[in-house]
Amino acid sequence: MDHTRADAYKLRRREVAKTILDGRDDDFLVVTGLGSPNWDATAAGDHPLTFPLWGAMGGAATLGLGLALAQPDKRVMVMTGDGEMLMAMGSFATIMAKAPDNLAVVVFDNERYGETGMQATHTAGPVDLVAVAKACGFPVAQQVVAEAELQTAIPIIREAPGPVFVDIKVRAEDLPFVLPSKDGVHLKNRFRERLLGPESLL
Amino acid sequence: MPETYAWAPDIYDALKQMDVRQIAYVPDAGHARLLKLCEADNAMRMVPLTTEEEGVSLAAGAWLGGERAVMLIQSSGVGNCINMISLANTCRFPLLMVISMRAQHREFNPWQKPMGQATRPALEAMGVTVTEVDDPDQVGREVRSAGEQAYGWPDMMAVLLHQSLMPVKTFGK
């Protein structure tokens, strides 16, 4: 395990989130994994079609799968952390059992458990989530470490036929909290109302 | 001898009538006939899980997108779901689980005992409403009733299929 290399990664997660979410429309549905990806997405701008998880660790990718299957004409992006995705390694396989082409899974990989004291995750060692995605058959699976690569990855995340997996190496940094609502019923209902219309709440 | 799993088409009919579109499962012999019926239905998408907890989050995503999902799992898989049920509980997502039971009736394998006996209390501890059915003629209506409550309220519902509904498994002994 290398406990220091992520301190020097060039990409900063808050900027990456802004770049990915910039100019989004209602055809772009977002699920964020618990912890830092929630705060990153909220800092970039809260949106009713973002569903931020405050728990359910290991559930973000399959939640995105259920959503992608239900909404084949929308793009679904799961934006989560390396620790959360490591808990969901099996969901790489489950996603590829259905292989919805409208699903993108993006990991902000700082090689740390950010909410609990910045302990190293397995990706600080030899564990390579891109290789896992490829081994499970993802047609697009790539790593991003530089700004130019991020710019190339944006259209892939937003519209390339998938499932898409992108692992973005981001600097390990402790940032201020930017919290979305933590009322799960509200988050669910505002998402469904925007996507499915007010009658969906009746 | 009565037809094996004669109640399976009744569960399929209930799911069909409720317009359930995503069938999340870890296979169990008790669900084999039902899974075949669902597979043959083009309106139902089969989602094989690597572990049962994926079904809880999948069902939440389906609901966000306007579809209904069901989980078809074995009692041992309930243990894999426990923390993830927090998602359905906190956000009031519908959750319908149809669970084939072990460690109840002429169980051959003692390794099934701990989770088999803990299935109901574990689900109830997480806030799931549990009903158990052992009468083959009542299986379909119990699933229908649980499903209406799950999708209609919404609520978290589990229907336990008693092991006596399944043939005895003796591992060739």
Side-chain angles (χ1 to χ4, degrees), chain A residues 51 53 56-59 62-63 65-67 69-71 90-91 93-94 97-98 184-185 188 191-192 195-196, chain B residues 22 45-50 53-54 57-58 60-67 83-84 87 90-93 154:
Chain A
F51 190 75
L53 294 166
M57 187 167 180
T62 37
L63 199 151
L65 172 63
L67 180 56
L69 292 173
Q71 288 289 327
S91 54
T94 299
K98 302 314 290 179
V185 176
K188 174 193 69 173
F191 191 105
R192 280 169 55 88
L195 178 64
L196 305 167
Chain B
Q22 298 191 28
R45 274 183 251 88
M46 309 301 291
V47 185
L49 312 169
T50 65
E53 69 175 304
E54 295 173 347
S57 42
L58 182 96
W63 184 254
L64 277 185
E67 281 194 348
N83 180 54
M84 198 60 75
L87 171 64
T90 308
C91 303
R92 295 192 65 229
F93 279 113

Side-chain angles (χ1 to χ4, degrees), chain A residues 33-183:
Chain A
L34 82 174
S36 302
N38 272 359
W39 326 146
D40 299 335
T42 309
D46 193 21
H47 194 288
L49 292 176
T50 294
F51 190 75
L53 294 166
W54 281 79
M57 187 167 180
T62 37
L63 199 151
L65 172 63
L67 180 56
L69 292 173
Q71 288 289 327
D73 298 329
K74 309 282 188 187
R75 188 67 169 186
V76 175
M77 179 183 71
V78 175
M79 192 176 115
T80 191
D82 44 304
E84 207 273 345
M85 200 65 214
L86 284 161
M87 199 175 274
M89 293 259 278
S91 54
F92 283 104
T94 299
I95 286 168
M96 285 314 297
K98 302 314 290 179
D101 64 5
N102 59 328
L103 177 63
V105 178
V106 178
V107 167
F108 284 24
D109 185 358
N110 67 348
E111 306 177 1
R112 297 285 187 279
Y113 292 103
E115 297 302 301
T116 55
M118 298 298 274
Q119 299 89 347
T121 68
H122 309 61
T123 61
V127 177
D128 178 354
L129 291 172
V130 174
V132 175
K134 283 182 180 165
C136 290
F138 272 66
V140 182
Q142 60 188 51
Q143 195 163 72
V144 165
V145 295
E147 181 62 32
E149 293 169 336
L150 179 62
Q151 292 305 326
T152 308
I154 296 300
I156 292 169
I157 291 168
R158 288 184 183 169
E159 59 198 17
V164 166
F165 179 75
V166 178
D167 182 74
I168 305 175
K169 290 290 186 182
V170 295
R171 183 175 301 181
E173 50 184 345
D174 221 350
L175 296 167
F177 293 109
V178 185
L179 307 181
S181 167
K182 59 179 182 283
D183 180 341

